[in-house]
Amino acid sequence: MITLSRFTLLAGALAAGTLLSACSEQHADVKTAEVKPTDLADTTTKTPELKFADVNPRLGEYIKTLSSDEFQGRAPATKGEELTVAFLEDNFRRIGLKPIDGDSYKQPVSLVQIDPKNVSAMTLKGDNLPAQFNYRDDMTAWTKQVTEQVDVTDSEMVFVGYGIVAPEYNWNDYEGLDVKGKTVVMFVNDPGFATQDPSLFNGNAMTYYGRWTYKYEEAARQGAAMALIIHETDAASYGWGVVAHGSPIKFDLINENKNADLAKVEGWVTTESAEKLFANIGTDLATMHKKALEKDFKAVPLNATASVSVNNNLRELTSSNVVGYIEGSKYPDEFVLYMAHWDHLGMDFSNPNNKVFNGAQDNASGTGGLLALAEYFTQQQQPERSIAFVAVTAEERGLLGSAWYAANPVFPLEKTVVGINMDVMNVYGPMKDMVIVGLGNNNAEDILIKYTEQQGRYAVREHNPEAGIAYRSDHFNLSKKGVPILYAKGGNDHFENGEAWGKAQRAEYNKCCYHKVGDEYNDNWDLRGAQQDLFLFYQVGNELANSRNWPNWNEGNEFRALRDASAAARKE
């Protein structure tokens, strides 16, 4: 049994005053009425004490090994994957998890790599338009159809507002419209963000309808030949450089129709390009923003056509999710599921100084946490329900390993009690705040909040819900199947150094290291924060694994109907 450990926060009256204001500020983001900062506010009269289990002293060792140069950045279908999967399997076997296929823990995942070796400029025809939009300067484009060549020729362009069909919000930008073979142009994000109206969609917090992935999916359902999203930095939550100047290589799951049901071409145009498209019909971006929000909005022809060609190299490859479990004593066919993605970006052979994208925080930390937590669980009493540990591949390629698992579940999704996702653990020490991404979405959060408060901490929502982070990690693929999900991590309000210090650490990581070769293991990391969070995840999973509780999405959530539809498969 791992022993409990404690450390004491020393705080003076001045620090207590700072904490009060910080708690008040953070609490304003919390939707759930019961969520409040704990008695930490009483630090003027007593010294709070943080209590948590040091879940596993091997955590740092696991992270350090997975993020070492030897593992070559853990890219799928490389030597780095071979080493990573072997390491995970060896440790799953050592600690006593049950395999899923004979003595193997591997779930094969079939992928295709789509490498656009040539993308043409987008040629335009219109009375007041330039002859073309240049690739990466004015627009970017690709195809996810698994074919060597796609061509969109003289496709009629139509502005479709936000490109959303959302019956629960009484919203349909495609109503009465036939866009088969046409090019649809639309805004990113959703009307709630545009208006900041909490009664419209989800207000400032993005719904899935605001994600660019949804917009391409809907355009394909409508039969569009090409789907173009207008890039705006605030609404997208990242700059044009992220869209146009990253790697153009796409990955997808292999399927029988080779993605023939998707639009031929997906892409983005700059704000400046959109202004030119709108000027062609005598209007501008600001006017079209207002028009897109009208209740009786109708799609607007842009009196223009577009043509573009994409030529690809294709490569099919196989990767692996790694899955092990602890069998339940009473209800072995019901599963609490923990998930983390093991992959990262591999090698940059053009870099003469540092070729390895080590991905120490993203996401050797979450994968190490998965191992540490699995090991801790095996040292406890056998749970009544089974507990699964799933290390997924190809998250960095588009959440593909988790998408494969969701489409080909090892354990029935309707009998999956909850999913707990770990993506980038806290390596900066113990934090007072626990950030629950998408707070207010499901009632599994109530259990997490209860144990968070027992640690002398408080729960908050992510500070930028408009960025749609709830839809940008592996848990989302299970959400889309109705499985209630927790995605949480320690925040910025450091027990000893304060909130400004914590924010500075995160900002420095984003600047120096996120998706860069600088994301390396540091022996000076303070993993007390990661241990603190792991113990919360243990407590939530342990309670649910020894109960008859079936968490659900809250009323009004877009995934509630999916969970309710499978209710008959679950025993109360």
Side-chain angles (χ1 to χ4, degrees):
M1 178 74 68
I2 307 291
T3 58
L4 294 180
S5 66
R6 302 182 178 191
F7 75 91
T8 302
L9 166 68
L10 301 176
L14 180 60
T18 303
L19 171 59
L20 280 169
S21 64
C23 287
S24 173
E25 212 175 284
Q26 295 277 19
H27 185 234
D29 289 335
V30 178
K31 282 186 169 183
T32 312
E34 308 82 56
V35 182
K36 298 176 182 177
T38 67
D39 288 341
L40 280 177
D42 196 20
T43 51
T44 53
T45 59
K46 64 181 182 181
T47 300
E49 192 176 57
L50 176 68
K51 305 181 181 76
F52 67 100
D54 187 6
V55 169
N56 196 323
R58 294 188 182 187
L59 174 61
E61 170 193 327
Y62 291 148
I63 300 172
K64 190 171 186 176
T65 299
L66 286 162
S67 62
S68 65
D69 283 355
E70 179 187 358
F71 280 60
Q72 299 182 7
R74 306 187 306 281
T78 66
K79 179 66 174 178
E81 165 161 358
E82 292 178 23
L83 293 169
T84 302
V85 169
F87 178 78
L88 292 172
E89 282 203 292
D90 288 347
N91 279 282
F92 277 13
R93 190 172 293 112
R94 175 184 60 80
I95 66 180
L97 296 186
K98 297 192 71 170
I100 58 171
D101 183 14
D103 63 350
S104 174
Y105 297 86
K106 293 190 288 189
Q107 180 192 33
V109 177
S110 298
L111 304 173
V112 60
Q113 176 179 317
I114 307 170
D115 182 0
K117 61 183 179 182
N118 183 60
V119 180
S120 72
M122 184 177 294
T123 58
L124 304 167
K125 292 180 182 178
D127 292 341
N128 301 295
L129 285 172
Q132 64 184 37
F133 289 156
N134 292 321
Y135 179 55
R136 288 192 165 178
D137 293 330
D138 307 311
M139 66 86 184
T140 186
W142 62 87
T143 184
K144 293 187 79 174
Q145 292 192 358
V146 184
T147 181
E148 292 183 352
Q149 178 83 29
V150 295
D151 298 286
V152 174
T153 304
D154 293 334
S155 174
E156 182 181 338
M157 304 183 81
V158 183
F159 173 65
V160 293
Y162 285 91
I164 291 172
V165 178
E168 64 269 43
Y169 295 112
N170 194 28
W171 195 280
N172 187 351
D173 287 324
Y174 288 96
E175 187 169 9
L177 184 64
D178 182 1
V179 296
K180 290 181 176 62
K182 298 180 181 180
T183 293
V184 292
V185 180
M186 68 206 94
F187 289 128
V188 72
N189 216 308
D190 61 41
F193 172 80
T195 62
Q196 297 292 294
D197 180 353
S199 67
L200 187 60
F201 283 67
N202 203 18
N204 183 56
M206 183 189 288
T207 65
Y208 185 51
Y209 297 113
R211 282 288 286 156
W212 54 269
T213 49
Y214 163 80
K215 295 174 187 293
Y216 295 140
E217 291 166 2
E218 188 58 51
R221 283 190 286 269
Q222 299 291 332
M226 181 158 57
L228 300 175
I229 297 173
I230 299 168
H231 176 267
E232 295 176 283
T233 297
D234 288 346
S237 82
Y238 37 75
W240 177 251
V242 174
V243 171
H245 296 291
S247 171
I249 297 173
K250 304 296 178 186
F251 288 78
D252 209 343
L253 303 179
I254 292 176
N255 55 53
E256 290 184 3
N257 73 356
K258 297 188 175 181
N259 289 340
D261 56 331
L262 301 183
K264 282 187 176 182
V265 173
E266 300 170 352
W268 298 73
V269 295
T270 63
T271 303
E272 293 77 15
S273 296
E275 287 281 23
K276 292 174 183 177
L277 290 172
F278 294 141
N280 185 59
I281 57 171
T283 187
D284 58 25
L285 190 74
T287 300
M288 298 306 272
H289 262 298
K290 293 176 182 177
K291 188 172 185 64
L293 293 169
E294 294 174 355
K295 289 186 178 180
D296 58 350
F297 169 78
K298 298 295 181 184
V300 180
L302 293 174
N303 297 339
T305 64
S307 302
V308 69
S309 297
V310 181
N311 186 237
N312 295 317
N313 286 325
L314 304 174
R315 182 168 72 103
E316 293 188 0
L317 49 92
T318 299
S319 187
S320 292
N321 294 333
V322 186
V323 184
Y325 68 103
I326 299 169
E327 189 170 44
S329 61
K330 286 188 178 181
Y331 311 103
D333 62 340
E334 300 173 4
F335 292 85
V336 171
L337 186 148
Y338 291 92
M339 175 182 288
H341 75 88
W342 60 255
D343 68 296
H344 199 53
L345 302 177
M347 305 275 285
D348 178 3
F349 293 100
S350 68
N351 189 329
N353 301 314
N354 187 352
K355 298 183 185 300
V356 181
F357 288 97
N358 302 86
Q361 289 193 52
D362 183 17
N363 185 37
S365 66
T367 308
L370 188 77
L371 271 176
L373 201 54
E375 189 168 23
Y376 186 73
F377 263 109
T378 62
Q379 297 167 350
Q380 314 306 313
Q381 184 175 345
Q382 184 182 11
E384 294 181 358
R385 287 166 157 166
S386 297
I387 302 176
F389 300 90
V390 183
V392 295
T393 183
E395 189 271 354
E396 302 289 7
R397 311 302 188 190
L399 315 183
L400 297 180
S402 57
W404 184 271
Y405 183 92
N408 307 276
V410 176
F411 310 114
L413 296 181
E414 66 272 15
K415 292 189 177 182
T416 299
V417 180
V418 72
I420 299 175
N421 184 43
M422 294 177 286
D423 192 353
V424 185
M425 300 289 290
N426 169 30
V427 300
Y428 302 113
M431 301 292 176
K432 297 168 188 172
D433 53 334
M434 187 66 174
V435 176
I436 302 177
V437 177
L439 181 61
N441 280 338
N442 63 68
N443 57 21
E445 296 167 355
D446 298 340
I447 303 172
L448 178 59
I449 290 165
K450 174 180 68 176
Y451 290 117
T452 296
E453 292 180 340
Q454 287 181 12
Q455 282 191 344
R457 304 169 69 190
Y458 59 94
V460 297
R461 188 176 201 162
E462 72 273 26
H463 76 279
N464 57 340
E466 70 277 8
I469 296 170
Y471 312 106
R472 289 165 62 175
S473 190
D474 287 303
H475 61 283
F476 176 54
N477 284 313
L478 296 187
S479 300
K480 287 198 292 185
K481 297 291 186 178
V483 178
I485 292 295
L486 289 175
Y487 179 31
K489 60 186 74 179
N492 296 320
D493 193 0
H494 194 275
F495 262 87
E496 295 161 326
N497 298 321
E499 187 173 20
W501 182 89
K503 287 181 177 179
Q505 307 313 303
R506 307 285 188 189
E508 177 59 24
Y509 170 72
N510 287 334
K511 179 181 178 182
C512 77
C513 307
Y514 176 68
H515 279 199
K516 298 182 177 71
V517 293
D519 187 2
E520 299 178 318
Y521 185 82
N522 188 331
D523 286 321
N524 293 321
W525 279 346
D526 184 352
L527 295 179
R528 292 178 300 170
Q531 300 279 10
Q532 179 189 33
D533 295 343
L534 284 175
F535 190 54
L536 287 182
F537 300 151
Y538 163 75
Q539 289 176 298
V540 173
N542 186 59
E543 177 173 320
L544 286 170
N546 292 287
S547 78
R548 302 308 299 140
N549 185 1
W550 289 99
N552 202 346
W553 299 96
N554 293 333
E555 290 288 350
N557 184 275
E558 59 260 52
F559 308 121
R560 173 69 183 242
L562 292 167
R563 185 65 164 179
D564 288 347
S566 64
R570 295 185 287 276
K571 303 171 186 175
E572 296 298 333

